[in-house]
Protein backbone atom coordinates (compact mmCIF):
# COMPACT_ATOMS: atom_id res chain seq x y z
CA UNK A 1 0.00 0.00 0.00
CA UNK A 2 2.89 2.34 0.60
CA UNK A 3 4.42 1.98 -2.85
CA UNK A 4 5.61 5.19 -4.45
CA UNK A 5 3.90 4.89 -7.79
CA UNK A 6 0.19 4.33 -8.39
CA UNK A 7 0.16 5.26 -12.07
CA UNK A 8 -3.19 6.81 -12.95
CA UNK A 9 -4.06 6.88 -9.24
CA UNK A 10 -1.07 8.88 -7.97
CA UNK A 11 -3.15 12.02 -7.33
CA UNK A 12 -5.85 10.09 -5.52
CA UNK A 13 -3.35 8.30 -3.29
CA UNK A 14 -1.55 11.58 -2.59
CA UNK A 15 -4.89 13.04 -1.53
CA UNK A 16 -5.47 10.07 0.76
CA UNK A 17 -2.01 10.41 2.31
CA UNK A 18 -2.63 14.10 2.99
CA UNK A 19 -6.15 13.62 4.34
CA UNK A 20 -6.47 14.41 8.03
CA UNK A 21 -7.88 10.93 8.78
CA UNK A 22 -5.46 8.86 6.68
CA UNK A 23 -3.67 7.77 9.84
CA UNK A 24 -6.81 5.90 10.89
CA UNK A 25 -6.62 3.85 7.69
CA UNK A 26 -2.91 3.09 8.01
CA UNK A 27 -3.28 2.19 11.69
CA UNK A 28 -6.23 -0.12 10.94
CA UNK A 29 -4.21 -1.80 8.20
CA UNK A 30 -1.18 -2.29 10.44
CA UNK A 31 -3.26 -3.57 13.36
CA UNK A 32 -5.53 -5.84 11.32
CA UNK A 33 -5.99 -9.20 13.06
CA UNK A 34 -5.11 -11.27 10.02
CA UNK A 35 -5.60 -14.55 11.90
CA UNK A 36 -9.31 -13.70 12.30
CA UNK A 37 -9.88 -13.29 8.55
CA UNK A 38 -11.58 -15.85 6.35
CA UNK A 39 -8.89 -17.80 4.50
CA UNK A 40 -9.63 -17.51 0.81
CA UNK A 41 -8.21 -16.19 -2.44
CA UNK A 42 -11.56 -14.49 -3.07
CA UNK A 43 -12.69 -13.13 0.33
CA UNK A 44 -9.46 -13.36 2.29
CA UNK A 45 -6.72 -10.95 3.28
CA UNK A 46 -6.29 -9.31 -0.13
CA UNK A 47 -10.01 -8.59 -0.41
CA UNK A 48 -10.09 -7.15 3.10
CA UNK A 49 -7.13 -4.86 2.42
CA UNK A 50 -8.72 -3.61 -0.80
CA UNK A 51 -12.08 -3.02 0.91
CA UNK A 52 -10.27 -1.07 3.64
CA UNK A 53 -8.55 1.09 1.01
CA UNK A 54 -11.78 1.62 -0.93
CA UNK A 55 -13.61 2.42 2.31
CA UNK A 56 -10.96 4.99 3.22
CA UNK A 57 -11.20 6.59 -0.23
CA UNK A 58 -15.01 6.73 -0.02
CA UNK A 59 -14.86 8.21 3.48
CA UNK A 60 -12.40 10.83 2.26
CA UNK A 61 -14.56 11.75 -0.74
CA UNK A 62 -17.67 11.86 1.42
CA UNK A 63 -15.85 14.01 4.02
CA UNK A 64 -16.59 11.64 6.88
CA UNK A 65 -15.51 12.47 10.42
CA UNK A 66 -12.63 10.71 12.13
CA UNK A 67 -15.12 8.90 14.36
CA UNK A 68 -17.00 7.53 11.34
CA UNK A 69 -13.75 6.66 9.61
CA UNK A 70 -12.61 4.60 12.62
CA UNK A 71 -15.90 2.69 12.74
CA UNK A 72 -15.86 2.13 8.98
CA UNK A 73 -12.32 0.74 9.13
CA UNK A 74 -13.40 -1.80 11.77
CA UNK A 75 -16.37 -2.76 9.61
CA UNK A 76 -14.25 -3.09 6.45
CA UNK A 77 -11.65 -5.11 8.36
CA UNK A 78 -13.96 -7.77 9.73
CA UNK A 79 -17.07 -7.83 7.52
CA UNK A 80 -16.29 -11.30 6.13
CA UNK A 81 -15.03 -13.11 9.26
CA UNK A 82 -18.27 -15.11 9.40
CA UNK A 83 -17.87 -16.58 5.93
CA UNK A 84 -17.83 -20.36 5.59
CA UNK A 85 -17.35 -20.37 1.80
CA UNK A 86 -16.82 -18.03 -1.13
CA UNK A 87 -20.28 -18.72 -2.52
CA UNK A 88 -23.27 -16.45 -2.24
CA UNK A 89 -24.22 -16.36 1.44
CA UNK A 90 -26.74 -13.74 2.46
CA UNK A 91 -26.14 -14.40 6.14
CA UNK A 92 -22.35 -14.30 6.46
CA UNK A 93 -22.71 -10.72 7.69
CA UNK A 94 -24.90 -11.96 10.55
CA UNK A 95 -22.20 -14.40 11.62
CA UNK A 96 -19.48 -11.78 11.17
CA UNK A 97 -21.17 -9.13 13.28
CA UNK A 98 -21.08 -11.31 16.39
CA UNK A 99 -17.28 -11.39 16.24
CA UNK A 100 -16.91 -7.60 16.21
CA UNK A 101 -16.90 -6.97 19.94
CA UNK A 102 -13.97 -9.32 20.52
CA UNK A 103 -12.09 -8.15 17.41
CA UNK A 104 -12.57 -4.39 17.84
CA UNK A 105 -13.09 -3.88 21.57
CA UNK A 106 -16.10 -1.70 20.77
CA UNK A 107 -19.20 -1.57 22.94
CA UNK A 108 -22.41 0.41 23.29
CA UNK A 109 -23.57 2.59 20.42
CA UNK A 110 -20.41 2.13 18.37
CA UNK A 111 -20.77 -1.65 18.49
CA UNK A 112 -24.46 -1.42 17.57
CA UNK A 113 -23.64 0.64 14.48
CA UNK A 114 -20.83 -1.68 13.43
CA UNK A 115 -22.95 -4.79 13.91
CA UNK A 116 -25.86 -3.28 11.98
CA UNK A 117 -23.63 -2.34 9.06
CA UNK A 118 -21.75 -5.60 8.91
CA UNK A 119 -24.94 -7.63 8.96
CA UNK A 120 -26.58 -5.35 6.38
CA UNK A 121 -23.64 -5.54 3.95
CA UNK A 122 -24.52 -9.08 2.91
CA UNK A 123 -28.25 -8.58 2.72
CA UNK A 124 -30.45 -7.09 0.00
CA UNK A 125 -30.72 -3.30 0.00
CA UNK A 126 -34.43 -3.67 0.71
CA UNK A 127 -33.55 -5.33 4.06
CA UNK A 128 -31.17 -2.59 5.21
CA UNK A 129 -33.62 -0.54 7.27
CA UNK A 130 -34.99 -3.57 9.12
CA UNK A 131 -31.49 -4.96 9.79
CA UNK A 132 -30.32 -1.63 11.21
CA UNK A 133 -33.49 -1.25 13.30
CA UNK A 134 -32.84 -4.67 14.85
CA UNK A 135 -29.74 -3.28 16.59
CA UNK A 136 -31.54 -0.14 17.83
CA UNK A 137 -28.73 2.39 17.30
CA UNK A 138 -29.50 5.82 18.75
CA UNK A 139 -28.47 7.47 15.47
CA UNK A 140 -30.16 5.37 12.79
CA UNK A 141 -29.11 7.67 9.95
CA UNK A 142 -25.46 7.49 10.95
CA UNK A 143 -25.65 3.70 11.18
CA UNK A 144 -27.22 3.58 7.72
CA UNK A 145 -24.59 5.91 6.30
CA UNK A 146 -21.82 3.62 7.58
CA UNK A 147 -23.63 0.55 6.25
CA UNK A 148 -23.94 2.14 2.80
CA UNK A 149 -20.24 3.04 2.76
CA UNK A 150 -19.27 -0.52 3.72
CA UNK A 151 -21.58 -2.00 1.13
CA UNK A 152 -20.09 0.23 -1.58
CA UNK A 153 -16.47 -0.40 -0.54
CA UNK A 154 -17.15 -4.14 -0.64
CA UNK A 155 -18.97 -3.86 -3.96
CA UNK A 156 -16.22 -1.80 -5.58
CA UNK A 157 -13.81 -4.70 -5.13
CA UNK A 158 -15.90 -6.57 -7.71
CA UNK A 159 -13.83 -4.72 -10.34
CA UNK A 160 -11.15 -7.39 -9.90
CA UNK A 161 -13.54 -10.10 -11.10
CA UNK A 162 -15.08 -7.97 -13.85
CA UNK A 163 -18.46 -7.86 -12.13
CA UNK A 164 -18.94 -4.23 -11.03
CA UNK A 165 -22.17 -2.56 -12.04
CA UNK A 166 -21.98 1.14 -11.09
CA UNK A 167 -25.79 1.30 -10.96
CA UNK A 168 -25.60 -0.63 -7.70
CA UNK A 169 -23.39 1.91 -5.93
CA UNK A 170 -25.16 3.75 -3.13
CA UNK A 171 -22.89 6.69 -2.31
Amino acid sequence: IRRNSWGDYDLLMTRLDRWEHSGIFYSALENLDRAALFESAVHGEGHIERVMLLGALLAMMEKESGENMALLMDMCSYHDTGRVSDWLDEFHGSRSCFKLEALTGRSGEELKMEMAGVEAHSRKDSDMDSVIAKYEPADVQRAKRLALLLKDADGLDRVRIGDLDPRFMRT
Side-chain angles (χ1 to χ4, degrees):
I1 194 76
R2 293 190 187 264
R3 66 182 171 173
N4 294 330
S5 177
W6 286 89
D8 292 342
Y9 302 101
D10 275 341
L11 284 174
L12 184 61
M13 293 306 292
T14 298
R15 264 186 72 202
L16 178 64
D17 283 339
R18 293 181 180 162
W19 184 42
E20 64 184 315
H21 303 308
S22 66
I24 297 169
F25 163 66
Y26 289 113
S27 178
L29 194 58
E30 288 172 18
N31 295 311
L32 180 64
D33 183 349
R34 294 168 193 285
L37 303 180
F38 178 61
E39 289 187 36
S40 160
V42 178
H43 291 101
E45 189 175 337
H47 168 66
I48 295 303
E49 290 175 343
R50 287 186 300 274
V51 171
M52 291 172 74
L53 173 59
L54 293 164
L57 292 168
L58 285 171
M60 177 185 70
M61 290 183 219
E62 295 293 317
K63 299 177 175 39
E64 293 296 329
S65 67
E67 293 82 12
N68 279 359
M69 175 62 175
L71 294 174
L72 181 62
M73 286 298 97
D74 284 351
M75 294 163 69
C76 289
S77 297
Y78 303 115
H79 72 279
D80 279 345
T81 57
R83 277 198 166 276
V84 293
S85 76
D86 283 320
W87 300 105
L88 183 63
D89 177 3
E90 190 175 335
F91 297 101
H92 74 271
S94 300
R95 292 187 299 275
S96 299
C97 77
F98 291 109
K99 298 179 179 195
L100 289 171
E101 184 175 12
L103 289 168
T104 68
R106 301 258 186 214
S107 62
E109 288 300 315
E110 291 180 331
L111 182 60
K112 287 179 185 181
M113 285 189 282
E114 286 188 357
M115 289 176 76
V118 167
E119 180 171 344
H121 99 275
S122 66
R123 303 281 298 276
K124 297 175 193 165
D125 283 356
S126 59
D127 293 341
M128 183 170 288
D129 289 340
S130 63
V131 168
I132 291 171
K134 180 171 98 172
Y135 292 94
E136 300 178 338
D139 189 341
V140 173
Q141 290 307 314
R142 182 179 178 206
K144 186 171 184 176
R145 178 109 179 118
L146 290 167
L148 292 170
L149 288 167
L150 172 61
K151 211 164 163 93
D152 279 356
D154 191 37
L156 282 168
D157 192 41
R158 296 183 73 81
V159 163
R160 72 190 157 100
I161 58 173
D163 190 33
L164 176 67
D165 186 340
R167 294 176 298 169
F168 292 110
M169 294 294 103
R170 296 149 197 93
T171 55

